[in-house]
Amino acid sequence: ITKLDKYRPALHFSPQQNWMNDPNGLVFFKGEYHLFFQHNPNDSVWGPMHWGHAVSKNMIEWEQLDIALSPDEHGTIFSGSVVVDWHNTSGFFQEEPGLVAIFTHHLEGENHPQTKQMQSLAYSYDKGRTWLKYENNPVLTHPTKIDFRDPKVFWHEASHKWIMVLATGQTISIYSSPNLKDWTFESEFGEKIGSHDGVWECPDLFELPVEHSSEKKWVLLVSIGDNPEFDSGSRTQYFIGSFDGHTFVEEHDDIKWLDFGKDNYAGVSFSDIPKEDGRRIYLGWMSNWRYANHVPTKGWRSQMTLPRELSLIEIDGEIQIVQKAVRELEPFFTKKEELNHVIVNSKDKHHFNIHADYAEVELVLENIDATQYGLTIHHTNTQYTTITVDAKDNKLLLERKHSGNVDFSDNFPKPQMVKLNGTEQLQLRLIVDSSSLELFLNGGEHVVTSLVYPDKACEGVSLFTSEGEIKVVHGKLSIPAKN
Ligand code: FRU
């Protein structure tokens, strides 16, 4: 079978048609995961924003539904979140608990020379299939701030109120409410801390346990918009600290990046994952504002990252995020090849034969005496991506300049780089889909998420070294499972 569209991902959500950006309103309710998304249903470039909608039982196979929210007299529909109002704090739900969307209304154009952003509500009685806009919208405005958007709301058990984190220029503002309708300003974070390379967008705030300890910490995710001065384009930083219901206080001075690839932006986590499950599950928009409007897909644009479970670990006294693809992915793979204790040098390059639309390669590598080692992902005979570990400089480079179609942007072919803590032992998990690579290093301590536009997903992956040898302590290739 030849695929009609060589770039269409198998494991990642992409819209059936037209434009998509940020994931919105991620929520689990009555057995379904909901993914709303920034959507222009009339064109495959960014335009008047709506909320598209898809549902899934496993976060991998999605069913796209009708548009959830469309522009109205208050403006177009920018990013936001959805919560389950379990105790009817809003008064919208007399019969049984339902969903409330808290989103940004964005108003600009001829009649409104001054852009205006404000927060509004909509609610649903039928598991998100149809939505009613609240008659007293908007519920939160600001007299002077122009950037005032992307509300992420959660129920804060300790203070018994709703908390909203909101992107307000190059800071995050925190508001609280008893009922989702009346909001009180609590505090503003970030004026003198973190990266200010661009406008701050799409915050998320949640608490996570620190693995192998009894500690818990609060994590604040902040996406940073594109700034032409920097090659990185749009990307995501995060802060670790404490939150008391009023103020977030960070506990470090360094800048922490969520992903070292170019293509993970505006990601947030799911609300209302059941307590018995207990996971914090995140997904991001797999693109970059630098070239998102120009990527070479036809009739549709953009895809989401794989859903990832987030946790916190301490490495050398520093607490950081670790990301793992959710376990729901496992049934989509079957093992094709396994190897143990195999030496790779300049003569013996181990090659995995793949020929599939998606694949997974897991490796535990030990560097014996190589100066550089890594893998080449052969998409076709002539199109390839390389992942090179540099033992001297302790870094890893992902190079996609020969990966296929790259000329839609000057920036796209430039390498992506991760500084590693060491290269003697390296664990890699690579997931290749039709037009993306997700590389999880050392159990997800570092992640590199990267789009590619080859003619075929993957014919094979080979291991290489330059001078010296490495040992494949363990290797495993998995290909699509037959369902
Ligand atoms: C982030 C973002 C948000 C905004 C939305 C508009 O990618 O710029 O700040 O709400 O996209 O589509």
Side-chain angles (χ1 to χ4, degrees), residues 1 53 61 64 73 82 124 201 240 270 318 376 394 439 448 456 472:
I1 306 169
H53 188 198
E61 295 162 296
Q64 192 170 335
E73 71 276 17
V82 167
S124 170
E201 300 184 314
I240 290 179
F270 279 87
E318 281 270 323
T376 307
N394 270 342
L439 178 63
V448 186
K456 278 189 197 145
V472 183

Coordinates of all heavy atoms in Angstrom, one line a residue, residues 1 53 61 64 73 82 124 201 240 270 318 376 394 439 448 456 472:
I1 N 0.9 -1.2 0.0 CA 0.0 0.0 0.0 C 0.9 1.2 0.0 O 1.8 1.4 0.8 CB -0.9 0.0 1.3 CG1 -1.7 -1.3 1.4 CG2 -1.8 1.3 1.2 CD1 -2.4 -1.5 2.7
H53 N -11.3 20.0 17.8 CA -11.5 19.0 18.8 C -11.3 17.6 18.4 O -11.7 17.2 17.3 CB -13.0 19.2 19.3 CG -13.4 18.4 20.5 ND1 -14.7 18.1 20.8 CD2 -12.6 17.8 21.5 CE1 -14.7 17.4 22.0 NE2 -13.5 17.2 22.4
E61 N -4.6 7.0 19.2 CA -5.6 7.0 18.1 C -6.7 8.1 18.4 O -7.4 7.9 19.4 CB -6.2 5.6 18.0 CG -5.2 4.6 17.6 CD -5.8 3.2 17.9 OE1 -6.0 2.9 19.1 OE2 -6.0 2.4 17.0
Q64 N -11.3 12.9 15.2 CA -11.6 14.3 15.2 C -13.1 14.6 15.1 O -13.8 14.0 14.3 CB -10.8 15.0 13.9 CG -10.8 16.5 14.0 CD -9.9 17.1 13.0 OE1 -9.0 16.5 12.5 NE2 -10.3 18.4 12.6
E73 N -18.8 37.8 18.8 CA -18.7 39.2 18.9 C -17.5 39.7 19.8 O -17.0 40.8 19.6 CB -20.0 39.9 19.4 CG -20.4 39.7 20.8 CD -21.1 38.4 21.2 OE1 -21.0 37.4 20.3 OE2 -21.7 38.3 22.3
V82 N -9.4 23.4 29.8 CA -10.7 22.9 30.2 C -10.6 22.2 31.5 O -9.6 21.5 31.8 CB -11.3 21.9 29.1 CG1 -12.5 21.1 29.6 CG2 -11.6 22.7 27.8
S124 N -20.1 22.8 28.7 CA -20.7 21.7 27.9 C -21.4 20.7 28.7 O -20.9 20.3 29.8 CB -19.6 21.0 27.1 OG -20.0 19.9 26.5
E201 N 4.3 32.7 26.7 CA 3.0 32.2 26.3 C 2.7 30.9 27.0 O 3.6 30.2 27.5 CB 3.0 32.0 24.8 CG 3.2 33.3 24.0 CD 3.1 33.1 22.5 OE1 3.7 32.2 21.9 OE2 2.5 34.0 21.8
I240 N 11.3 25.4 38.6 CA 10.9 24.5 39.7 C 10.9 25.3 41.0 O 11.8 26.1 41.2 CB 11.9 23.3 39.7 CG1 11.6 22.5 38.5 CG2 11.7 22.5 41.0 CD1 12.5 21.3 38.3
F270 N -2.6 17.5 30.8 CA -4.0 17.2 31.0 C -4.5 17.5 32.4 O -3.8 17.3 33.4 CB -4.2 15.7 30.8 CG -4.2 15.3 29.3 CD1 -3.1 15.0 28.6 CD2 -5.5 15.2 28.6 CE1 -3.1 14.7 27.3 CE2 -5.5 14.9 27.3 CZ -4.3 14.6 26.6
E318 N 20.5 18.8 41.4 CA 19.6 19.7 40.7 C 18.3 18.9 40.3 O 18.4 17.8 39.7 CB 20.2 20.2 39.4 CG 21.2 21.3 39.5 CD 20.6 22.6 39.4 OE1 19.6 22.8 38.6 OE2 21.0 23.5 40.1
T376 N 22.8 6.9 12.1 CA 22.2 7.5 10.9 C 20.8 6.9 10.7 O 20.7 5.7 10.6 CB 23.1 7.3 9.7 OG1 24.5 7.6 10.0 CG2 22.7 8.0 8.5
N394 N 31.2 16.5 25.1 CA 30.0 16.1 25.8 C 28.7 16.7 25.2 O 27.9 17.3 25.9 CB 30.0 16.5 27.3 CG 30.7 15.4 28.1 OD1 30.8 14.3 27.7 ND2 31.1 15.8 29.3
L439 N 13.6 11.8 20.3 CA 14.8 11.2 20.8 C 14.7 11.4 22.3 O 14.8 12.6 22.8 CB 16.0 11.7 20.2 CG 17.4 11.2 20.7 CD1 17.5 9.7 20.4 CD2 18.5 11.9 20.1
V448 N 14.9 15.4 22.4 CA 15.1 16.2 21.2 C 14.0 15.8 20.3 O 13.8 14.7 19.8 CB 16.5 15.8 20.5 CG1 16.7 16.8 19.3 CG2 17.6 15.9 21.4
K456 N 10.3 9.0 2.5 CA 9.8 7.8 3.3 C 10.2 7.9 4.7 O 11.3 8.5 5.0 CB 10.4 6.5 2.7 CG 9.7 6.0 1.5 CD 10.3 4.6 1.2 CE 10.0 4.2 -0.2 NZ 11.1 3.4 -0.9
V472 N 27.5 -1.9 21.9 CA 26.0 -1.9 22.1 C 25.8 -2.9 23.2 O 25.7 -4.1 23.0 CB 25.3 -2.3 20.8 CG1 23.8 -2.2 21.0 CG2 25.8 -1.5 19.6

